[in-house]
Amino acid sequence: MSLFQELLARPPTLSTPSKYTAANGLIYLAAGTLLIAWPGATQTLFGDRAFVGDEQGLVRVIGVAVAVIGWLYLFGGRSGARQMVAATVVNRLTFVPAVLLPLAASEVFPHLLVTFGILDPALAVGTWFLFGRDDAKAIGAETKAPESLPQPLP
């Protein structure tokens, strides 16, 4: 199979958490692309201070990082691998706020980083919720399955 066929391949059915993670990936890809193409979005959309030095380049670096994360979430979700989806919950609830919120408090792109520092964990909680709902459905299906099997004769 070629590289592009591998990229476009996906399991016949995807769980709701996998679809949600892929959708999150599209959001991050779009946000990253916006910051790469228009670093001034930090002032226009988020109200951060004007650039005084080379901050425009740093915003583009943030954009590249966010776009790469989006790319990985998109294809991680499309793969259907529950472990990948679960891993996104852990890192978004721990590393992201632990790094971004102190940086924002020290006035490094405060509005942009607080936005990501809150939005990312909120989306992770959504993924976690969908995992729980998905598990409840699976447990319900398991308890009903034996009833549909033929019963032995007395």
Side-chain angles (χ1 to χ4, degrees):
M1 210 183 258
S2 78
L3 178 67
F4 294 108
Q5 288 172 325
E6 289 290 345
L7 279 173
L8 297 175
R10 70 176 200 188
T13 59
L14 287 175
S15 68
T16 303
S18 289
K19 290 176 186 175
Y20 183 76
T21 299
N24 285 192
L26 289 173
I27 293 167
Y28 294 133
L29 247 152
T33 302
L34 173 70
L35 292 176
I36 293 166
W38 181 34
T42 57
Q43 289 92 22
T44 305
L45 300 177
F46 299 104
D48 284 336
R49 64 177 169 75
F51 299 141
V52 293
D54 295 330
E55 292 98 341
Q56 184 171 338
L58 294 174
V59 171
R60 284 195 164 110
V61 168
I62 292 170
V64 168
V66 171
V68 167
I69 291 165
W71 176 263
L72 294 174
Y73 283 7
L74 173 63
F75 286 96
R78 284 177 44 92
S79 75
R82 288 178 59 87
Q83 188 175 19
M84 167 60 188
V85 175
T88 70
V89 173
V90 173
N91 84 314
R92 294 191 284 173
L93 288 177
T94 55
F95 305 130
V96 171
V99 172
L100 295 188
L101 297 179
L103 278 173
S106 67
E107 301 197 14
V108 176
F109 308 118
H111 300 103
L112 174 67
L113 295 184
V114 165
T115 300
F116 279 117
I118 293 172
L119 178 65
D120 205 26
L123 291 172
V125 168
T127 306
W128 197 351
F129 170 77
L130 292 174
F131 258 120
R133 203 173 79 178
D134 222 36
D135 289 343
K137 276 194 232 175
I139 290 169
E142 287 173 9
T143 58
K144 292 181 183 175
E147 295 173 6
S148 64
L149 295 175
Q151 300 298 319
L153 295 173

